[in-house]
Amino acid sequence: MTALIDVADLYAATFASRHDCHSPWIATDAGGQWICKREPLTGEVVLNAFRSGRPVAGYCLDADSTTQLAALDIDLEDGLMLADRVARVMTKAGCPAYIETSRRGAHLWCSIGPWALPGIVVRRALRAFLQEAGIEPDPKIELRPGQDRLSGPDGVGTALRMPLMPHQTTRVKGVLMAPGGRIIAEKMHEALEAVETAPTATFAAWAERWAPPLDPRAIAPGDRPPRVFAPDDGVSATSILEDIGVVVRKVPGAVKCPFHPDTNPSLSIAADNRRVWCKSPACEAYGANGRGLGTNQLRKLIRDRAGHAA
């Protein structure tokens, strides 16, 4: 039993990025629904899901908006064929991807390591792989993680039913396949033995290859190209921060962020002293795409917060 729990624990660590919560399928009079449970995703939870026939979904973004998991949820009739096309592109690029049968299409899974990546980077890389496979954006091809970053400290993002789990309505279990359709896993231990990890650096490099649509109206706000911050009127970020009582002893460096409760220094200052950024995705100083704020934006943030406080 202990060995089985260990396998289930490793399975949970592989196919979910967040482990302090999970989303079980709860039966209701109307059929059922996914419910976010603020309890650890453990091997015991996984085993109970398999035994009961009621699946568990894992969250794809950790609390710091990073992930070691990339997935696609394709709800199209030709989903298996589309997933296979993307999996071939990813595997050829050095990012092994695996296909799971689903009731209305397919899921595609890719484990990333040894380090986690920001959600926005993983999502851009997935878009790049879709483009390379010649697949146009479609509302029924959903990226996982489903968000660039979490909305705040209590956010959990989007969950996805973990692979090989029974489907929530049909109770039919899927199988995990390599590109080309060869079945590689029907059970947890088989999946853990077969799944190879995509190198973090290789996956991140593909994020740079994503070409946004030409029509700017088709670009989601989180996907807009990062702004290049000009030196503004010569005022430094350090002097602006010192005006509100933040003591900056060296540049570049990190100080406690004044824009959110901060127990550890999380606000960094660029070497040119013209930009700051907070490493907390829930903070306003995180900025578009995590690129932080230029000095004009920093002053505007301070004015806005002062006006709100007044």
Side-chain angles (χ1 to χ4, degrees):
M1 181 65 178
T2 302
L4 192 56
I5 285 287
D6 289 343
V7 170
D9 278 331
L10 185 55
Y11 169 94
T14 302
F15 294 109
S17 276
R18 186 159 187 171
H19 304 111
D20 62 350
C21 58
H22 61 281
S23 184
W25 177 258
I26 306 297
T28 65
D29 292 340
Q33 59 183 325
W34 299 104
I35 300 291
C36 178
K37 215 169 185 181
R38 300 278 183 167
E39 297 176 6
L41 176 61
T42 62
E44 187 175 354
V45 168
V46 168
L47 287 179
N48 286 339
F50 275 111
R51 289 167 175 166
S52 67
R54 292 180 179 172
V56 164
Y59 288 97
C60 301
L61 277 181
D62 207 344
D64 63 354
S65 291
T66 64
T67 184
Q68 288 187 264
L69 182 67
L72 294 175
D73 183 1
I74 306 176
D75 284 337
L76 295 167
E77 289 184 6
D78 56 350
L80 274 176
M81 183 269 289
L82 296 176
D84 185 73
R85 279 170 57 184
V86 181
R88 288 174 185 268
V89 167
M90 293 178 68
T91 301
K92 184 178 179 181
C95 298
Y98 305 92
I99 309 142
E100 182 195 14
T101 53
S102 181
R103 183 172 68 94
R104 291 179 295 184
H107 293 169
L108 181 142
W109 298 91
C110 179
S111 175
I112 304 168
W115 303 289
L117 286 170
I120 187 172
V121 173
V122 172
R123 284 167 56 81
R124 287 189 174 194
L126 284 171
R127 288 189 173 98
F129 286 126
L130 284 165
Q131 282 185 335
E132 185 72 11
I135 299 173
E136 296 293 328
D138 189 300
K140 293 188 176 181
I141 301 178
E142 299 180 1
L143 309 184
R144 295 291 184 270
Q147 298 80 24
D148 291 343
R149 58 180 179 264
L150 299 180
S151 58
D154 297 324
V156 291
T158 309
L160 183 62
R161 175 173 53 85
M162 301 178 77
L164 307 181
M165 290 272 180
H167 191 274
Q168 59 269 25
T169 56
T170 65
R171 300 291 188 263
V172 174
K173 293 183 180 180
V175 297
L176 209 59
M177 298 181 290
R182 177 175 60 88
I183 295 176
I184 59 172
E186 298 181 65
K187 298 179 180 179
M188 282 190 297
H189 72 276
E190 295 172 342
L192 295 175
E193 291 169 0
V195 169
E196 297 180 21
T197 301
T200 304
T202 305
F203 206 93
W206 270 81
E208 300 297 324
R209 299 180 59 163
W210 177 62
L214 294 177
D215 183 354
R217 293 171 299 180
I219 306 176
D223 289 328
R224 299 191 190 282
R227 289 185 56 188
V228 176
F229 297 110
D232 298 330
D233 55 6
V235 177
S236 69
T238 296
S239 64
I240 297 172
L241 290 171
E242 288 177 342
D243 284 345
I244 60 171
V246 177
V247 178
V248 182
R249 294 185 174 85
K250 61 178 181 177
V251 176
V255 297
K256 286 190 177 181
C257 180
F259 306 115
H260 76 282
D262 189 11
T263 56
N264 295 306
S266 62
L267 189 76
S268 294
I269 304 159
D272 65 3
N273 211 351
R274 296 289 186 266
R275 183 165 57 91
V276 300
W277 68 94
C278 182
K279 68 181 181 182
S280 173
C283 179
E284 292 169 282
Y286 186 81
N289 303 322
R291 300 284 294 186
L293 308 176
T295 50
N296 277 341
Q297 293 174 307
L298 176 61
R299 284 184 293 193
K300 182 178 185 303
L301 173 59
I302 292 170
R303 287 197 304 268
D304 290 347
R305 289 176 67 90
H308 181 71

